């Protein structure tokens, strides 16, 4: 990986994947939503999109330097082009784009040596992938930086977004560990930061469907198969 700070989708992936086993610490489908939400969060930080009342609008349609972010920006309706009024639903976009977003980021990080891809077979038949840390992985640095920002109370918008997204996908190190005050702070960010809220609403929908015996539209992809 380059010396540049990882984007929010990259940082969330590195936090969520066990660096040795290559398996997500959270449910795979939840992580897919998280990566899509993180892409929206990064685009907002770069001034490319804005959000109002749950709808995302493009405010700067020029491609960002990051190739993957450019792909996702192009997938959003250009200004004034939505069929449903202003912009597109953040929640709906996260649900639709989740699997593609995670797959593209996994492919990119494997190509750059940040992750390795190990193919295995479930019951000797169905192939699935694991993504342990590669030789160029900054995963430990990402974790250390995250813990430092947590100790400081998430002092900047980027750290608050990452914490909110990690809590929204129910990453155990954020949602279950630490004292009560620390966990409460992370949960609050899920509702304060709109990309995390869009992820959380999809997670909640999936959990409700599972509790009712239905399907919420897909199982884990990318690094989560074979759970």
């Amino acid at each position: 990986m380059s010396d540049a700070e990882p984007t929010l989708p990259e940082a969330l992936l590195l936090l969520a994947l066990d660096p040795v086993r290559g398996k997500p610490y959270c449910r795979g489908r939840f992580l897919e939503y998280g990566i899509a939400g993180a892409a929206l969060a990064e685009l907002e930080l770069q001034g490319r999109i804005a959000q109002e009342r749950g709808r995302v609008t493009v405010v700067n349609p020029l491609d960002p330097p990051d190739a993957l972010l450019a792909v996702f920006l192009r997938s959003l309706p250009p200004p004034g082009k939505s069929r449903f009024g202003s912009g597109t639903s953040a929640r709906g976009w996260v649900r639709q784009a989740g699997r593609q977003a995670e797959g593209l980021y996994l492919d990119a990080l494997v190509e750059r040596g940040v992750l390795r891809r190990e193919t295995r077979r479930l019951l000797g038949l169905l192939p699935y992938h694991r993504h342990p840390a590669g030789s160029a992985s900054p995963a430990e640095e990402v974790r250390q930086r995250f813990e430092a920002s947590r100790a400081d109370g998430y002092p900047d918008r980027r750290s608050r977004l990452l914490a909110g997204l990690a809590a929204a996908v129910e990453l155990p190190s954020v949602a279950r560990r630490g004292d009560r005050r620390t966990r409460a702070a992370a949960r609050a960010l899920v509702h304060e930061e709109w990309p995390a809220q869009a992820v959380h609403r999809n997670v909640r929908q999936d959990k409700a469907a599972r509790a009712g015996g239905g399907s919420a539209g897909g199982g884990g992809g990318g690094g989560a198969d074979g759970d």
Side-chain angles (χ1 to χ4, degrees):
M1 183 173 273
S2 68
D3 292 336
E5 181 178 3
T7 62
L8 284 168
E10 293 168 344
L12 182 61
L13 259 181
L14 293 175
L15 283 176
L17 290 174
D18 183 320
V20 176
R21 299 173 63 203
K23 181 179 178 180
Y25 292 116
C26 59
R27 281 190 56 200
R29 186 62 168 148
F30 296 177
L31 182 56
E32 291 175 2
Y33 298 145
I35 300 305
L40 291 179
E42 187 70 44
L43 286 169
E44 186 195 36
L45 281 178
Q46 295 186 15
R48 308 285 173 170
I49 63 173
Q51 182 272 157
E52 184 176 1
R53 297 183 180 179
R55 301 193 70 81
V56 177
T57 56
V58 175
V59 295
N60 179 357
L62 297 179
D63 281 353
D66 183 283
L68 290 185
L69 290 176
V71 168
F72 297 122
L73 182 64
R74 289 188 220 115
S75 77
L76 294 165
K81 297 295 185 180
S82 174
R83 294 179 298 164
F84 305 102
S86 178
T88 191
S89 163
R91 176 186 181 181
W93 189 90
V94 162
R95 176 167 286 274
Q96 183 177 16
R99 186 160 298 170
Q100 179 195 25
E102 187 195 41
L104 288 174
Y105 276 101
L106 285 170
D107 288 347
L109 294 182
V110 168
E111 183 177 348
R112 286 151 57 187
V114 174
L115 299 174
R116 294 182 291 111
R117 175 164 291 152
E118 298 178 353
T119 302
R120 306 180 186 181
R121 292 189 177 273
L122 182 64
L123 303 177
L125 298 173
L126 301 175
Y128 65 94
H129 301 303
R130 291 282 187 255
H131 293 91
S135 58
S137 176
E140 184 58 32
E141 178 184 347
V142 169
R143 288 188 179 88
Q144 290 176 356
R145 188 179 301 164
F146 182 82
E147 290 301 326
S149 72
R150 173 153 59 179
D152 290 340
Y154 308 115
D156 56 77
R157 181 82 195 288
R158 181 174 290 274
S159 66
R160 291 194 294 273
L161 283 164
L162 183 56
L165 290 161
V169 302
E170 301 185 350
L171 197 61
S173 61
V174 177
R176 301 177 194 167
R177 297 178 193 166
D179 59 29
R180 182 180 302 176
R181 184 176 181 179
T182 300
R183 295 194 304 271
R187 287 195 301 270
L189 290 170
V190 173
H191 302 286
E192 292 172 11
E193 298 294 352
W194 68 265
Q197 187 175 39
V199 172
H200 172 68
R201 293 177 69 190
N202 280 294
V203 167
R204 188 173 58 187
Q205 179 179 336
D206 283 13
K207 292 175 75 173
R210 284 173 65 90
S215 172
D225 293 343
D227 287 350

